């Protein structure tokens, strides 16, 4: 009888533990945005940061949890925060892009972001989504499986990482980042190049006055670690390596992948990757390092290398470590091999098959161009004193509203904030990637406006994104808010509507929220428009977005209360 009672108690205790492990929770954080005095590259700076740190705090949740984030703005600037890659199902009011889903939080005010993370696991991140403040206002967002077990694909299905290491790659300027943006938008040219790249906020020993602050990660031999890599840099894709070590990519943008074996990564601004990393080398110290992938000819960029140290327990502390050999900055072949070689782990939880039929098709050109300076007397680009730099999608250069957020206009049916006439195709066909059209004034002068593409709830959308050679070719990391998309195919040159669809992967395409459209090439994506609201889509290069390489989707409400966007919270900031 006693043994039976003990067994029953143990069973009840086990069931209670299971219930605790599987029940969703409310995870609450307070984030204070304010000034931080910090020293980098031999100089003392005052930056905008969160909770007095760079990067800001890591937010750690489980799938199904509800996040309640109280944001207090004690900085001198307007602020919003975006939860990059979170689907925000029926919580578009918490998405964060300024003037799209909310007006900014003005200084000395606050706003509480409330949203539930459903059907997502892996590594995402959060950052400011106004001006260029995301240069220093960012942090990791880690979403763990509710069961606590990582559903990695075979042969890693039962691997439990010994430890997890978040790695946030960033970019640093020796100047006030808001003033820098104001200067380049006023003058009509581009921004000044950054002064360093960073790993978890530190440039590393190859930069001046940075050796002592460089991060050192102590690891044990013959263990498996999970590296969570985020590219929070402003304007550069980055190559990443650890000397003499290999990786297994197991997730991208919080979506599980089939194992991809590599010794080098390329990661675009906005993207994240989860890697299994085995400490199977001799006991020693090894540098991790990142440097830019910048394929645009004659384009100036910060050609530096940021470092941190992986040090095996027992390594000789007097040794400096082994440095990896990174690809050269214009190695498009290496970059494309990785970005094109990933496929989805279709047996993972939350995987949904790629839609096989399409309701809406779009062809969107991504271009750099020029617009009239208008009343600004000192505006000047290399085209002359009458023009400033601009960027566009289908010859439409996006302008953010200022009187009311687009989402409020959608919800309250307010006219005049935006129009629903974003074109499905460019205004004219041309040889998109040929230099023969370079500086053709008919093509490089876009229309400015606030235009969206209206979609029916539940429709399937397929988009060809085509880089152009107008002014210059570029590798554009395109980020879509509100949903992930399937990457069906990528390639170089002009998209061929007859032969390129034969390359489509409709079985296990990679799923992302940010895709680096190849320089002088194209990418085809497909997604299901099942999340009502207004969702921003933009280039994640912080030069191109304020130039206008943006657009938005208006997704109609569905037919039921559970498919209809709820009203805004009472504390939603007003313009």
């Amino acid at each position: 009888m006693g043994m039976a009672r003990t067994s029953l108690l143990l069973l009840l205790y086990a069931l209670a533990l299971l219930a605790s492990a599987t029940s969703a929770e409310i995870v609450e954080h307070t984030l204070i945005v304010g000034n931080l005095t910090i020293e980098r590259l031999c100089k003392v700076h005052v930056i905008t940061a969160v909770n007095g740190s760079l990067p800001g705090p890591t937010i750690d949740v489980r799938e199904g949890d509800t996040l309640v984030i109280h944001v207090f703005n004690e900085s001198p600037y307007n602020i919003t925060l975006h939860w990059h890659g979170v689907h925000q199902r029926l919580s578009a009011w918490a998405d964060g892009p300024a003037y799209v889903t909310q007006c900014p939080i003005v200084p000395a005010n606050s706003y509480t972001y409330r949203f539930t993370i459903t059907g997502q696991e892996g590594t995402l991140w959060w950052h400011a989504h106004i001006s260029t403040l995301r240069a220093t206002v960012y942090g990791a967002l880690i979403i763990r499986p509710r069961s606590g077990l990582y559903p990695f694909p075979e042969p890693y299905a039962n691997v439990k990482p010994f430890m997890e290491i978040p790695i946030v790659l960033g970019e640093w300027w020796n100047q006030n980042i808001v003033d820098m943006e104001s200067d380049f938008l006023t003058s009509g040219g581009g921004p000044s190049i950054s002064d360093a790249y960073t790993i978890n906020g530190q440039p590393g020993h190859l930069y001046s006055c940075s050796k002592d602050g460089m991060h050192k990660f102590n690891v044990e031999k013959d263990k498996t670690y999970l590296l969570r890599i985020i590219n929070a840099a402003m304007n550069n894709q980055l190559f990443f390596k650890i000397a003499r070590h290999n990786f297994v990519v197991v997730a991208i943008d919080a979506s599980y992948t089939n194992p991809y074996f590599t010794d080098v990564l390329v990661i675009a601004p906005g993207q994240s990757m989860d890697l299994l990393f085995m400490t199977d080398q001799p006991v020693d110290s090894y540098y991790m390092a990142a440097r830019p992938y910048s394929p645009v000819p004659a384009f100036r960029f910060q050609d530096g290398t940021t470092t941190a140290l992986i040090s095996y327990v027992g390594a000789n502390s007097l040794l400096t470590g082994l440095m990896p050999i990174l690809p050269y900055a214009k190695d498009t072949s290496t970059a494309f091999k990785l970005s094109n070689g990933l496929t989805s782990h279709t047996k993972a939880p939350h995987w949904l098959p790629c839609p096989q039929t399409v309701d809406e098709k779009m062809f969107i050109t991504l271009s750099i161009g020029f617009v009239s300076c208008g009343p600004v007397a000192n505006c000047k680009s290399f085209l002359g004193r009458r023009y400033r730099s601009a960027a566009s999608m289908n010859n439409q250069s996006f302008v953010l509203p200022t009187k009311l957020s687009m989402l409020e206009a959608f919800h309250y049916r307010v006219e005049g904030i935006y129009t629903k006439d974003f074109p499905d195709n460019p205004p004219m066909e041309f040889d998109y990637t040929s230099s023969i059209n370079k500086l053709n004034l008919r093509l490089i002068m876009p229309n400015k406006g606030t235009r969206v593409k209206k979609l029916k709830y539940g429709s399937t959308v397929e988009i060809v994104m085509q880089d152009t050679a107008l002014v210059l070719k570029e590798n554009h990391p395109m980020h879509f808010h509100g949903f992930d998309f399937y990457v069906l195919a990528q390639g170089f040159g002009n998209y061929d509507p007859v032969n390129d669809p034969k390359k489509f992967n409709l079985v296990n395409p990679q799923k992302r929220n940010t895709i680096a459209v190849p320089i002088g090439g194209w990418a085809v994506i497909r997604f299901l428009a099942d999340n009502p609201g207004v969702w921003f889509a933009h280039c994640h290069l912080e030069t191109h977005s304020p130039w206008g390489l943006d657009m938005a989707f208006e997704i109609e409400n569905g037919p039921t209360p559970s498919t209809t966007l709820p009203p805004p919270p009472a504390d939603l900031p007003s313009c």
Side-chain angles (χ1 to χ4, degrees), residues 373-394:
C373 286
V376 180
N378 65 342
C379 166
K380 182 180 180 180
S381 71
F382 68 82
L383 195 61
R385 297 197 65 86
R386 296 168 50 203
Y387 301 99
R388 68 170 65 246
S389 299
S392 66
M393 301 171 69
N394 277 356

Side-chain angles (χ1 to χ4, degrees), residues 183-191 368-374 376-391 439 441 444-446 471-472 543 547:
D183 289 345
F184 85 75
L185 290 179
T186 300
S187 68
I368 305 299
F370 302 100
V371 293
S372 170
C373 286
V376 180
N378 65 342
C379 166
K380 182 180 180 180
S381 71
F382 68 82
L383 195 61
R385 297 197 65 86
R386 296 168 50 203
Y387 301 99
R388 68 170 65 246
S389 299
L439 300 183
L441 291 182
I444 66 172
M445 303 291 289
V471 182
L472 54 82
T543 302
W547 281 354

Side-chain angles (χ1 to χ4, degrees), residues 430-441 443-444 469-471:
F430 59 97
D431 188 349
Y432 304 110
T433 56
S434 171
S435 60
I436 194 172
N437 294 303
K438 190 173 183 179
L439 300 183
N440 182 323
L441 291 182
L443 297 174
I444 66 172
L470 302 180
V471 182

Side-chain angles (χ1 to χ4, degrees), residues 83-157:
W83 315 95
H84 185 109
V86 175
H87 293 161
Q88 298 290 1
R89 294 201 168 274
L90 300 183
S91 57
W93 305 106
D95 192 42
Y99 304 108
V100 178
T101 61
Q102 67 167 98
C103 296
I105 309 168
V106 299
N109 281 261
S110 64
Y111 177 49
T112 297
Y113 293 90
R114 296 176 174 86
F115 55 94
T116 299
I117 297 178
T118 304
Q120 294 182 272
E121 298 175 11
T123 304
L124 295 173
W125 61 302
W126 57 268
H127 61 81
H129 211 301
I130 184 170
S131 181
T132 47
L133 286 171
R134 79 170 179 87
T136 55
V137 177
Y138 60 83
L141 172 58
I142 296 172
I143 309 167
R144 302 183 186 281
R146 178 132 305 277
S147 66
L149 302 175
Y150 292 106
F152 298 140
E154 295 291 349
Y156 303 97

Side-chain angles (χ1 to χ4, degrees), residues 332-348:
T332 293
S333 176
T334 296
F336 185 73
K337 180 181 178 181
L338 173 66
S339 63
N340 192 51
L342 296 163
T343 56
S344 286
H345 176 33
T346 60
K347 295 182 180 179

Side-chain angles (χ1 to χ4, degrees), residues 160-178:
K160 183 177 181 181
F162 179 71
M163 187 180 293
E164 301 181 12
I165 303 177
I167 302 292
V168 187
L169 307 174
E171 204 165 357
W172 176 267
W173 274 261
N174 271 336
Q175 59 181 302
N176 182 292
I177 196 73
V178 176

Side-chain angles (χ1 to χ4, degrees), residues 62 101 177-178 180 242 280 367 404 440 454 503 515-516 537 561:
R62 293 183 300 171
T101 61
I177 196 73
V178 176
M180 184 269 287
I242 298 177
D280 54 4
S367 303
L404 189 72
N440 182 323
K454 185 176 181 179
K503 307 172 186 175
I515 177 66

